Amino acid sequence: MNRFEGRVAIVTGAAQGIGRAIADRLSSEGAAVCYADINGAGVEAAAKEADGGRAMAVACDVGEPDSVEALHRDVIGAHGKLDVLINAAAIVPFVPWNELTFEEWRRVMRVNLDGCYLMCREASELMRANNYGRIVNIASNSIFAGTPNMAHYVASKGGILAFGRALATELGGDTITVNSVCPGLTDTEGVQQTPHKDAFDFVEMLQAIKGRGVPQHIVPAIAFLASEEAHWITGQALAVDAGMIRW
Ligand code: NAD
Ligand code: 4PL
């Protein structure tokens, strides 16, 4: 498939995990993709390996307004427009409730929720100029499950879902769609660095379809919502978790 020929996309969190997997898919389907991540060396390497030869890499802290503005200036300088934004950058913490400090709460909110807002603010301004846009925010099925040891993360992801509904309303008149994808536990570099890596058996027990979640299982839903043909779908949340949550 070549659904993204002629399209320009930004993917945050593209140095690894789910972000990198969707950036690679958009590239292989013809998009000029800007791989954005706070890990500048990571996105340089990922963009070099991407299919199609049109990928670029930008080091960006999504929680920092100046950094987010500079990222969008770079993309406009290189390609002159923006069609697709995938917000996958996030901190995936493991902190029990009785150890959660306000400082840690703010650290996660700054990246996960403020970062999503700042990216959507800049991107929607550019998309509005074209009267076209696809925004896909990566939330999490933990917002339905109330997953333990990450209350601040769950709150930030619930914020993303609710924000996405409101933003879909705000941007509908500009023919820009905004949707959330809610993955279940997925085997990524980030998860491997936390005790979440030991939760796969428990989560599998709750899944309707058995097996271990990997980034490639999440990619098709994101790519569909980012494609032109998803034009009649906005303000929605789609769980991609082998049926762990069914409500
Ligand atoms: P990961 O930790 O493997 O990768 C996250 C990436 O985000 C990293 O490359 C990191 O450098 C980048 N990042 C962190 N802070 C940043 C910042 N301030 N600015 C820019 N980039 C920053 O994560 P993952 O497991 O691939 O998760 C990707 C997305 O999917 C996240 O939004 C996560 O919340 C969501 N998600 C993951 C799972 C899972 O189990 N892995 C489940 C549900 C949802
Ligand atoms: C079910 O988003 O959705 C662990 C870690 N378990 O980050 C998540 C579940 C994790 C999740 C998540």
Side-chain angles (χ1 to χ4, degrees):
M1 278 188 286
N2 236 15
R3 289 177 288 185
F4 298 98
E5 201 63 60
R7 297 294 181 194
V8 178
I10 297 176
V11 180
T12 70
Q16 64 186 45
I18 295 168
R20 181 173 182 174
I22 183 62
D24 288 348
R25 168 65 73 88
L26 296 177
S27 297
S28 71
E29 288 199 40
V33 178
C34 177
Y35 286 64
D37 201 290
I38 201 166
N39 175 0
V43 274
E44 282 293 340
K48 271 205 189 84
E49 287 171 22
D51 271 1
R54 300 191 69 206
M56 64 187 276
V58 175
C60 174
D61 177 352
V62 297
E64 186 55 56
D66 293 345
S67 184
V68 169
E69 283 169 33
L71 163 66
H72 286 79
R73 272 199 303 278
D74 286 353
V75 170
I76 288 303
H79 300 295
K81 66 161 183 169
L82 178 65
D83 300 299
V84 174
L85 168 63
I86 314 291
N87 282 307
I91 294 170
V92 184
F94 185 102
V95 183
W97 170 248
N98 59 5
E99 291 170 22
L100 185 58
T101 62
F102 183 56
E103 191 183 24
E104 167 64 9
W105 172 279
R106 280 301 321 151
R107 183 180 77 95
V108 166
M109 286 294 172
R110 188 187 78 87
V111 174
N112 295 13
L113 190 53
D114 299 359
C116 181
Y117 157 71
L118 290 169
M119 288 297 303
C120 288
R121 185 178 71 166
E122 296 306 312
S124 63
E125 207 51 45
L126 301 180
M127 290 170 175
R128 193 175 273 142
N130 280 345
N131 207 43
Y132 180 89
R134 297 280 179 268
I135 298 175
V136 184
N137 295 321
I138 311 306
S140 164
N141 79 342
S142 64
I143 68 183
F144 306 113
T147 304
N149 301 304
M150 48 192 328
H152 50 340
Y153 172 92
V154 173
S156 74
K157 294 296 184 176
I160 283 177
L161 177 125
F163 169 56
R165 287 180 173 166
L167 193 61
T169 309
E170 299 286 349
L171 297 177
D174 298 299
T175 348
I176 299 167
T177 68
V178 184
N179 292 289
S180 301
V181 165
C182 304
L185 180 62
T186 307
D187 197 352
T188 64
E189 293 90 331
V191 158
Q192 281 302 327
Q193 283 170 14
T194 70
H196 294 298
K197 70 179 190 310
D198 301 319
F200 282 96
D201 288 345
F202 176 74
V203 163
E204 183 173 13
M205 190 178 70
L206 304 173
Q207 292 169 195
I209 295 166
K210 301 305 174 186
R212 170 178 291 238
V214 295
Q216 285 311 325
H217 296 157
I218 316 302
V219 162
I222 305 171
F224 168 63
L225 291 170
S227 73
E228 203 172 327
E229 69 178 353
H231 69 97
W232 212 236
I233 304 173
T234 192
Q236 302 304 304
L238 180 58
V240 184
D241 65 352
M244 176 179 145
I245 57 111
R246 280 155 251 166
W247 59 84

